[in-house]
Amino acid sequence: MLQIFVNTNYDFVGKRRWFYLASLGAVIVSIVSIVLHGGLNYGIDFTGGTLIQLRYEKPVTVDHVRRGLDRIGLGTAVIQQFGDPQEYLVRLPQSDRKSDELTKAVQTALSATGDGALEIRRVEFVGPQVGRDLQLQALYAVLAGMAGILVYVAIRFDYRGGVVSVLALAHDVMVTLGALSITGREISLPVLAALLTIVGYSINDTIVVFDRIRETRGRGTRRGPGLAGLINSAINQTLSRTLLTSFTTFLSAFVLFLFGGEVLRDFAFALVIGVVTGTYSSVAAAALILDWENWSRGKAPAGGKVPAKA
């Protein structure tokens, strides 16, 4: 296997306070952004309404589209350029009108503006109840995933590892949601799939580090460098594997973000952010175990004895 970091001895545990500050700062920024934006920007999958994808024969501006919609009282609709200036997504709120009638009215109104031929490429309709149900199901899916991981890691290692892993996952999801909020991207079903993928990816990295800690403890390191040295050693030993895996995953997600098209762009963006935060949190989470252990023993020194159970 390719090794880019051989026999490293970085003191990650000694820098853990900086990790905590960075994580806390990122989470606070995410929460502030979500609050300032009035919550997450849910897509039509979760809010309900009608989405119409249309394409003009020649390039037009958002103002042209809005003026056309204003003819039928839909000037406040959300209009988003989709790829090039000829293609747009129009998101309409819930309406008493049937989807077919609404689509025909939009097409007639926009065609009357004289901006050239207009093609309706896609129409999606989601009812209000379906949207609310999807929001709850999405929340349950993420919580169930984290609960399952908590149980697995608690059985595989110990309850502290389980709790720390879930904290790391919550951190990764929150930071990703914050990035989506700051950039104004929608929370859609593909983005939800990306968040669940991040949960699975992040826990994989974390378990690799935890597993190495457990293996080292099992070799009788009670008289060794102590827990701080043991955690540092585990992180350094897995550093090459972690970075190589994360880098190749990051490249795949980044290429998808650049060339995957508008439909996959938000999904790929969430993956890019999630891979970066997941890699980072796998290191910071391991360091958190040391503080937990010191706290539980009621003393602060970093080089305490290695506990009997991993």
Side-chain angles (χ1 to χ4, degrees), residues 266-288:
D266 290 349
F267 168 81
F269 178 81
L271 282 183
V272 167
I273 300 299
V275 169
V276 174
T277 57
T279 305
Y280 159 81
S281 67
S282 65
V283 175
L288 187 59

Side-chain angles (χ1 to χ4, degrees), residues 216-232:
T216 309
R217 282 177 166 178
R219 293 171 190 156
T221 56
R222 285 173 176 275
R223 292 184 295 275
L227 183 56
L230 189 150
I231 294 174
N232 264 334

Side-chain angles (χ1 to χ4, degrees), residues 146 149-169 203 206-207 210 213-214 217 222 227 230-231 281 284-298 304-310:
M146 289 188 175
I149 288 170
L150 172 62
V151 172
Y152 168 75
V153 178
I155 295 174
R156 185 78 171 81
F157 300 95
D158 65 8
Y159 73 97
R160 292 168 301 183
V163 173
V164 169
S165 299
V166 169
L167 285 176
L169 295 180
I203 193 61
T206 305
I207 283 181
F210 283 7
I213 294 173
R214 192 186 59 161
R217 282 177 166 178
R222 285 173 176 275
L227 183 56
L230 189 150
I231 294 174
S281 67
L288 187 59
I289 289 181
L290 175 65
D291 283 318
W292 185 327
E293 193 133 323
N294 287 335
W295 172 78
S296 64
R297 292 180 176 184
K305 292 181 179 179
V306 180
K309 183 182 177 183

Side-chain angles (χ1 to χ4, degrees), residues 22-199:
S23 295
L24 183 63
V27 170
I28 290 175
V29 169
S30 299
I31 293 174
V32 169
S33 174
I34 292 172
V35 171
L36 290 179
H37 284 88
L40 294 170
N41 180 23
Y42 287 109
I44 193 173
D45 301 330
F46 298 108
T47 60
T50 303
L51 180 145
I52 302 175
Q53 180 181 341
L54 50 89
R55 183 174 181 81
Y56 283 89
E57 185 180 29
K58 59 183 181 181
V60 298
T61 65
V62 173
D63 290 338
H64 279 84
V65 181
R66 192 172 300 284
R67 280 199 293 271
L69 292 174
D70 199 36
R71 294 167 177 260
I72 52 175
L74 296 176
T76 58
V78 177
I79 303 169
Q80 179 183 3
Q81 186 177 321
F82 192 71
D84 56 54
Q86 293 175 259
E87 199 154 346
Y88 288 88
L89 285 177
V90 177
R91 291 176 172 80
L92 303 174
Q94 291 293 333
S95 171
D96 295 333
R97 304 165 76 174
K98 293 182 179 178
S99 178
D100 293 343
E101 295 176 358
L102 193 59
T103 303
K104 188 175 180 179
V106 169
Q107 186 170 19
T108 302
L110 294 179
S111 298
T113 59
D115 292 317
L118 176 69
E119 177 189 0
I120 301 294
R121 291 197 154 189
R122 175 165 55 121
V123 178
E124 294 180 6
F125 171 77
V126 179
Q129 185 60 45
V130 174
R132 283 192 290 271
D133 290 346
L134 282 176
Q135 282 190 37
L136 287 176
Q137 290 171 6
L139 178 63
Y140 294 156
V142 174
L143 293 179
M146 289 188 175
I149 288 170
L150 172 62
V151 172
Y152 168 75
V153 178
I155 295 174
R156 185 78 171 81
F157 300 95
D158 65 8
Y159 73 97
R160 292 168 301 183
V163 173
V164 169
S165 299
V166 169
L167 285 176
L169 295 180
H171 163 273
D172 298 341
V173 171
M174 180 54 69
V175 173
T176 304
L177 289 176
L180 290 167
S181 173
I182 291 171
T183 55
R185 297 181 183 277
E186 281 191 347
I187 308 297
S188 59
L189 286 178
V191 170
L192 172 64
L195 293 177
L196 292 173
T197 304
I198 291 168
V199 169

